[in-house]
Structures are given as C-alpha cells and as structure tokens.
Amino acid sequence: MIETTSAPLPVICLTGPTGSGKTAAALALAAALDGEVVNADSRQVYADFPLITAQPSAEERACCPHHLYGFLATENKISAGRWAEAAVDKVRDILARGKTPLLVGGTGLYFQALLRGMAEIPPVDPQLTAAITARVDEQGAPALHAELAQIDSAYAAKIHPNDRQRIIRALEVCQSTGRSFTWWHSNSMSTPLCVGPLLTLDAPLAWLEPRLARRLDLMLAGGALDEARAAMRHCADPAAPGWSGIGCAEALAHLQGRLSLEDCRSLWLRNTRAYAKRQLTWFRARPEAQWLPPDDPAAVVEAACRFWQKARSSYNS
C-alpha cells in the first residue's frame, strides 16, 4: 500500500506518443537537472523485449541512471497500482540523494495514478476474474473489447482490442460494482502521490508516420524477430501479458506461422500508428499537459527548469 498522507513528491513527467523522441529529451533533462529516469511505459517493463518495446539502449542508460525497465517476466502482469508503488519508492530514493526524478513514458494511466491519485475500486471476486478470463480465452480479446465498448466506450477507445489485461480489468470492475471503469477514475480518486508538470511532446501523426515506419524497419533489421524467438523459449503463450504489446503480438504471430513477414510488418505498423493516435487523444484531454515541440530538447529543459527551481526549494524546506 502506498503512503498517501504526506505531501505529494515533486517530479518531472515527460510523455508523448510512441516514436516522438522521449528518450532523447529525457537525456537532455537528465544532463540539465542531474536527473534519473524512471520508466512510465507499461510495455517497457518486460525483460524479454528491450528492442521491440524501444527501451533505452545500453549507451543511453550509461548517460544517467534508469529505473523500472525490463524487470518483469513475460508471463507476469502489472497494474497501474503496482507500478505506482514501485515508482514512488524510486522517486523517494532519487530525491533523498539530491537528484531529480524524471518520469518518462507513454502510458497515460501511469501518469494519472501519480498526478491525480488511484481510483479506489473495491476488490473483485477472483471467481469473476477467472470467468471473464475464460471468456477471453474462448472468444478472443477483440470480442470482449467490443462488449466493453457497449458499456464503457470512453475506456474502450483508449486501449487496443487485443489488450487482454485491461479488457478483463474493465469488465470485471463493471460487473462487480455496477459502475464503469471510466466512472471510477472520474469519481473515486485517492490523494495525488506526486506533483509536477506533464511535459508532452506534440508530435502529430503526419510527423510521426515516416519515423514510425523507419523505426520498425530498424527494429526488424536489428534482430526484433530473434528477440521474440528467444522470448518464446521462456513463454510462447500468446495470452501472456508480455506478448500483448504492439510488435510483440505481431512478431509472435509470424513466428508461429499465423502471419507472413510482410503481413507482420504491415499489421505492426498499422497498430503502432493507431496506438499513437490513441495516446494523442488521451493526452489532449488532459488540461495539465504542457505541449512542446518533439524535436527541441532545449524547450523541454526550459519548461522543466521553471518548475524544478521552485519545487526543489519547497521540498527541501
């Protein structure tokens, strides 16, 4: 359980759609503010997929400390609440050492958990979870995603039709409480855990599309399929949480003979673009988002410094 009675911890949050240049901007922030990077991306927690999920490279990690990347096995799942607990522990430790915590990633619900608090949803009967999971196994995630869209269209629009974990969670909450997942996140939030700017890279789809295609081709040329093949030796179950990520699912389908390489690349790119669009939609609905150019690290540093000078002195007082 996260301690919420103390004042929110000061942090710098950096986000934006996939492929918008968050890693380069984060390294600029770390250099300017003596910072350490804490992962805020739900796909980059998986150990088996550093390339496919675009985790910072070894060279990039050598520039400053990085936390909460690649620590989770493919077969394990992680909730926003569990991530928030781990992130808050890292933030406290970074602040205690006189450094600047930089929360970097593209998972909107992770930032919401820290900056707005967690939805205080009552526990769900494990038998209900098991029943919904069995339905996903039998009918497929897209079928239950369509069902979710009928009862919670706002949340369904934010997640991929193959995101088993989030689909199951949203359906079990609705069936258990009689309220939608969106309702709980709008009406039952705990105390914010952190305070800070939500610096958001303003990368429109037209700007992103050629970059996403080039990044995908570099991933394939750099060994993405070999990475997925190695992951299969640990866990080849398509229903495992780690395989639900974009790129992971398509690579597995190709390696298991369900997609040609051409179709794998095409579907991977299409799903990546759709994900970027969902991210942009989500962040544009956040009034606290501060939009900054995606190719101007100096502007990101300037915006962060304006907040941090006041926040750090207040935190130390």
Side-chain angles (χ1 to χ4, degrees), residues 82-135:
R82 180 184 166 195
W83 172 84
E85 290 183 7
V88 166
D89 285 343
K90 294 296 182 184
V91 167
R92 286 200 182 104
D93 177 62
I94 293 167
L95 289 169
R97 290 185 283 104
K99 308 293 185 179
T100 305
L102 309 172
L103 280 294
V104 180
T107 301
L109 290 178
Y110 281 10
F111 290 107
Q112 179 171 289
L114 291 185
L115 300 177
R116 292 190 176 186
M118 295 291 297
E120 298 184 324
I121 301 172
V124 174
D125 186 339
Q127 291 186 346
L128 176 58
T129 304
I132 296 174
T133 301
R135 289 186 59 209

Side-chain angles (χ1 to χ4, degrees), residues 253-266:
H254 168 64
L255 293 176
Q256 292 183 333
R258 293 180 280 120
L259 281 179
S260 68
L261 180 57
E262 180 180 357
D263 288 343
C264 168
R265 181 192 180 279
S266 177

Side-chain angles (χ1 to χ4, degrees), residues 223-237:
L225 294 180
D226 289 336
E227 181 174 273
R229 193 175 287 110
M232 288 176 63
R233 292 196 285 269
H234 304 145
C235 174
D237 180 5

Side-chain angles (χ1 to χ4, degrees), residues 35-291:
E36 300 188 12
V37 176
V38 180
N39 172 40
D41 187 291
S42 64
R43 298 297 97 194
Q44 292 182 344
V45 299
Y46 285 102
D48 284 333
F49 308 106
L51 178 60
I52 294 175
T53 62
Q55 296 177 33
S57 66
E59 293 76 14
E60 289 164 336
R61 295 192 197 198
C63 295
C64 70
H66 284 64
H67 307 279
L68 300 185
Y69 289 93
F71 67 89
L72 197 65
T74 299
E75 61 270 24
N76 294 337
K77 66 180 181 179
I78 186 168
S79 65
R82 180 184 166 195
W83 172 84
E85 290 183 7
V88 166
D89 285 343
K90 294 296 182 184
V91 167
R92 286 200 182 104
D93 177 62
I94 293 167
L95 289 169
R97 290 185 283 104
K99 308 293 185 179
T100 305
L102 309 172
L103 280 294
V104 180
T107 301
L109 290 178
Y110 281 10
F111 290 107
Q112 179 171 289
L114 291 185
L115 300 177
R116 292 190 176 186
M118 295 291 297
E120 298 184 324
I121 301 172
V124 174
D125 186 339
Q127 291 186 346
L128 176 58
T129 304
I132 296 174
T133 301
R135 289 186 59 209
V136 173
D137 292 338
E138 180 181 349
Q139 301 174 31
L144 270 75
H145 182 269
E147 180 178 313
L148 176 63
Q150 296 298 312
I151 58 178
D152 190 352
S153 59
Y155 186 68
K158 298 174 184 176
I159 62 175
H160 192 276
N162 285 324
D163 194 336
R164 290 170 49 96
Q165 181 179 337
R166 290 192 174 94
I167 292 168
I168 291 169
R169 178 58 175 158
L171 286 174
E172 71 179 11
V173 166
C174 183
Q175 293 182 26
S176 175
T177 68
R179 302 278 192 177
S180 71
F181 209 49
T182 296
W183 184 93
W184 282 103
H185 280 279
S186 299
N187 296 278
S188 179
M189 304 302 289
S190 62
T191 304
L193 303 167
C194 296
V195 61
L198 185 63
L199 306 179
T200 310
L201 300 183
D202 192 1
L205 284 176
W207 186 91
L208 278 172
E209 284 173 345
R211 289 163 176 79
L212 293 175
R214 184 164 59 250
R215 186 179 71 169
L216 194 160
D217 288 337
L218 288 173
M219 286 179 177
L220 289 171
L225 294 180
D226 289 336
E227 181 174 273
R229 193 175 287 110
M232 288 176 63
R233 292 196 285 269
H234 304 145
C235 174
D237 180 5
W243 285 113
S244 66
I246 294 169
C248 303
E250 294 83 355
L252 181 63
H254 168 64
L255 293 176
Q256 292 183 333
R258 293 180 280 120
L259 281 179
S260 68
L261 180 57
E262 180 180 357
D263 288 343
C264 168
R265 181 192 180 279
S266 177
L267 182 60
W268 184 344
L269 183 58
R270 185 163 70 247
N271 287 340
T272 302
R273 183 191 184 280
Y275 178 53
K277 184 177 181 180
R278 291 196 302 274
Q279 287 176 302
L280 285 167
T281 299
W282 197 93
F283 287 113
R284 292 205 189 284
R286 309 268 77 77
E288 66 271 30
Q290 298 182 34
W291 293 90

